[in-house]
């Protein structure tokens, strides 16, 4: 299964997964910041984009093409809409996989209005011919429409109005250099700091009309994996719990109790993440162990372990991928309240991961 594919309707809902599910998509529109001032965090990208747009506005010109790269749920789609809003321009939304043929792209490009923002999500998944057409469109505001077939085919050049391409990708490394070079500005989105996520949570709680205190927001922020989409999703689940089990107000205790029910621990690990770590520690003494063996031990597909659980575990410094296999770090042992074999002298008991 391809977990990068947000349009894959068979992807099971996962509370801490960064891919958007149906409910997210419905709520995300309502929770999206509408302008740069409302957009929380990403100071660097925000400052840089602000300059790009201000300068373009002052010149009365169309903003340069913008590439936004970063992990799912960090705000790429949100920023693209903000760019259009700040430039006072309409926005057209499409995605790499939606453009099968160069002709599809030609149709979109030739119907753009002057100054319009074209948002191309998952730009790394575009077909080769479409990509080549895009090179010319970005650089010269021109496309060649091919009429006819074989030796008699002719290219009819078509002038395009100036437009701003905003490309988004979770895999900037997969973009061919000629495409990457045609963007006037590339913004790299980073994972959010806990304090920034707290602000995201307070803002969303406000919009959802949910009462939450500072500590409640901090509790959720700490478990959100640096990702606003996950913060918003956990907030909604904690709200449910607060409504059913308490008076609706989210405090630290309520947040901790709710997230224990959903099996999201104090560092944001969910059941699968912990199962992987537990197998690695308890069955294989911390590794190294091969990915396939590890996957069998937790009863999951290899791909699920590799693409769903591991990236976060690696980022958190709990697991390392080595040429000889997967290895647990000392932090993994202490997170699960276990003692590494070589240092088995102090018996520190199982700690309460859910913080209840
Ligand atoms: N800086 C931010 N401030 C407040 N909310 C944010 C911010 N960034 C993202 N969000 C919220 O997080 C959710 C996900 O953001 P968005 O859809 O823009 O992510 P994305 O990077 O496009 O993800 P994907 O790669 O899956 O398409 C949205 O509901 C948005 O409101
Ligand atoms: Mg998006």
């Amino acid at each position: 299964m391809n977990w990068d594919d947000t349009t894959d309707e068979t992807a099971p809902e996962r509370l801490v997964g960064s891919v958007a599910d149906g409910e997210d998509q419905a709520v995300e529109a309502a929770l999206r910041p509408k302008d740069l001032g409302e957009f929380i965090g990403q100071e660097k990208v925000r400052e840089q984009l602000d300059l790009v747009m201000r300068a373009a506005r002052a010149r009365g010109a169309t903003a340069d093409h913008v590439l936004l790269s970063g992990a799912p749920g960090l705000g790429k789609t949100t920023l693209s809409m903000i760019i259009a809003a700040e430039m006072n321009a309409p926005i057209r939304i499409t995605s790499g996989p939606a453009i099968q043929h160069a002709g599809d792209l030609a149709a979109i490009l030739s119907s753009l209005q002057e100054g319009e923002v074209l948002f191309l999500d998952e730009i790394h998944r575009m077909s080769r011919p479409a990509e080549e057409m895009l090179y010319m469109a970005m650089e010269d505001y021109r496309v060649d429409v091919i009429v006819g077939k074989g030796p008699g085919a002719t290219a009819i050049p078509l002038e395009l109005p100036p437009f701003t391409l905003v490309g988004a990708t979770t895999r900037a490394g997969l973009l061919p250099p000629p495409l990457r070079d045609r963007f006037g500005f590339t913004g790299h989105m980073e994972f959010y700091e806990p304090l920034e996520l707290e602000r995201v949570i307070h803002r969303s709680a406000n919009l959802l009309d949910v009462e939450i205190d500072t500590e409640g927001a901090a509790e959720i922020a700490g478990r959100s994996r640096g990702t606003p989409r996950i913060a918003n999703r956990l907030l909604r689940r904690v709200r449910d719990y607060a409504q059913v089990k308490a008076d609706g107000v989210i405090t630290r205790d309520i947040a901790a109790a709710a997230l224990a029910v959903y099996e999201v621990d104090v560092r944001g690990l969910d059941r699968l993440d912990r199962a992987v770590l537990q197998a690695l520690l308890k069955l294989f003494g911390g590794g190294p162990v091969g990915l396939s063996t590890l996957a069998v031990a937790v009863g999951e597909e290899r791909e699920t372990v590799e693409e769903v659980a591991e990236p976060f575990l690696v980022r958190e410094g709990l697991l390392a991928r080595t040429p000889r296999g997967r290895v647990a770090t000392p932090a993994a042992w202490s997170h699960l309240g276990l003692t590494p074999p070589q240092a088995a002298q102090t018996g520190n008991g199982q700690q309460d991961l859910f913080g209840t």
Side-chain angles (χ1 to χ4, degrees):
M1 182 174 292
N2 180 4
W3 288 86
D4 269 339
D5 189 354
T6 46
T7 57
D8 184 350
E9 283 166 21
T10 61
E13 183 183 347
R14 205 166 156 267
L15 205 54
V16 297
S18 46
V19 171
D21 61 30
E23 189 196 354
D24 284 325
Q25 282 161 13
V27 184
E28 275 181 0
L31 295 183
R32 278 209 163 98
K34 303 276 183 287
D35 57 44
L36 267 193
E38 259 189 87
F39 193 84
I40 293 160
Q42 309 292 344
E43 302 301 336
K44 271 259 125 21
V45 174
R46 241 184 31 201
E47 186 188 351
Q48 294 161 344
L49 257 183
D50 190 41
L51 285 172
V52 170
M53 294 193 292
R54 270 172 201 271
R57 278 199 305 259
R59 291 193 304 267
T62 303
D64 224 338
H65 305 304
V66 174
L67 179 64
L68 299 171
S69 77
L74 297 188
K76 298 181 296 296
T77 299
T78 305
L79 261 189
S80 74
M81 292 178 172
I82 289 176
I83 291 173
E86 299 263 342
M87 293 306 292
N88 229 329
I91 181 167
R92 185 89 55 99
I93 298 175
T94 185
S95 75
I99 297 170
Q100 296 285 339
H101 311 286
D104 299 340
L105 183 62
I108 294 171
L109 289 170
S110 59
S111 66
L112 290 176
Q113 302 172 33
E114 177 161 352
E116 191 158 357
V117 170
L118 174 62
F119 178 54
L120 234 169
D121 210 355
E122 298 184 79
I123 192 168
H124 60 278
R125 294 180 60 197
M126 226 177 2
S127 75
R128 217 42 233 265
E131 214 170 79
E132 271 156 23
M133 172 176 284
L134 194 59
Y135 294 164
M136 199 197 270
M138 290 172 78
E139 210 158 59
D140 305 330
Y141 297 113
R142 192 165 66 89
V143 287
D144 278 340
V145 181
I146 309 289
V147 180
K149 278 203 162 67
T154 40
I156 301 178
L158 193 67
E159 294 284 324
L160 303 174
F163 65 98
T164 299
L165 177 70
V166 179
T169 180
T170 49
R171 309 269 195 92
L174 294 184
L175 280 193
L179 181 55
R180 225 176 321 157
D181 294 347
R182 281 169 168 80
F183 286 96
F185 169 71
T186 300
H188 297 284
M189 318 273 293
E190 308 282 352
F191 286 99
Y192 291 66
E193 297 299 328
L195 280 176
E196 295 169 340
L197 290 177
E198 274 183 50
R199 285 167 56 205
V200 170
I201 291 164
H202 279 298
R203 180 180 172 275
S204 300
N206 212 355
L207 291 171
L208 295 171
D209 213 4
V210 178
E211 205 177 318
I212 185 168
D213 68 17
T214 314
E215 295 184 328
E219 193 61 42
I220 299 174
R223 303 183 189 214
S224 300
R225 298 171 170 243
T227 308
R229 173 177 293 136
I230 297 177
N232 284 338
R233 189 184 301 155
L234 295 184
L235 170 66
R236 300 199 305 274
R237 296 293 73 82
V238 173
R239 168 205 56 192
D240 295 350
Y241 181 96
Q243 262 168 17
V244 174
K245 302 272 193 179
D247 56 0
V249 179
I250 300 176
T251 61
R252 162 160 294 159
D253 288 348
I254 292 289
L259 293 170
V261 170
Y262 294 111
E263 303 188 283
V264 177
D265 79 14
V266 291
R267 279 180 87 159
L269 276 67
D270 70 0
R271 197 149 45 98
L272 173 65
D273 303 319
R274 277 193 312 278
V276 169
L277 279 192
Q278 240 149 22
L280 183 57
L281 301 182
K282 289 187 174 164
L283 301 178
F284 307 108
V289 61
L291 174 61
S292 306
T293 310
L294 192 56
V296 171
V298 294
E300 284 289 349
E301 300 288 332
R302 215 183 120 94
E303 290 72 26
T304 308
V305 172
E306 186 174 27
E307 290 163 32
V308 180
E310 280 189 353
F312 178 65
L313 295 175
V314 170
R315 178 156 69 80
E316 283 288 288
L318 295 169
L319 178 145
R321 293 166 167 164
T322 74
R324 292 167 56 220
R326 273 46 178 177
V327 178
T329 64
W333 290 95
S334 80
H335 183 62
L336 290 193
L338 298 169
T339 313
Q342 61 272 36
Q345 70 283 70
T346 49
N348 55 330
Q350 179 84 27
Q351 72 191 60
D352 185 353
L353 294 177
F354 299 105
T356 47

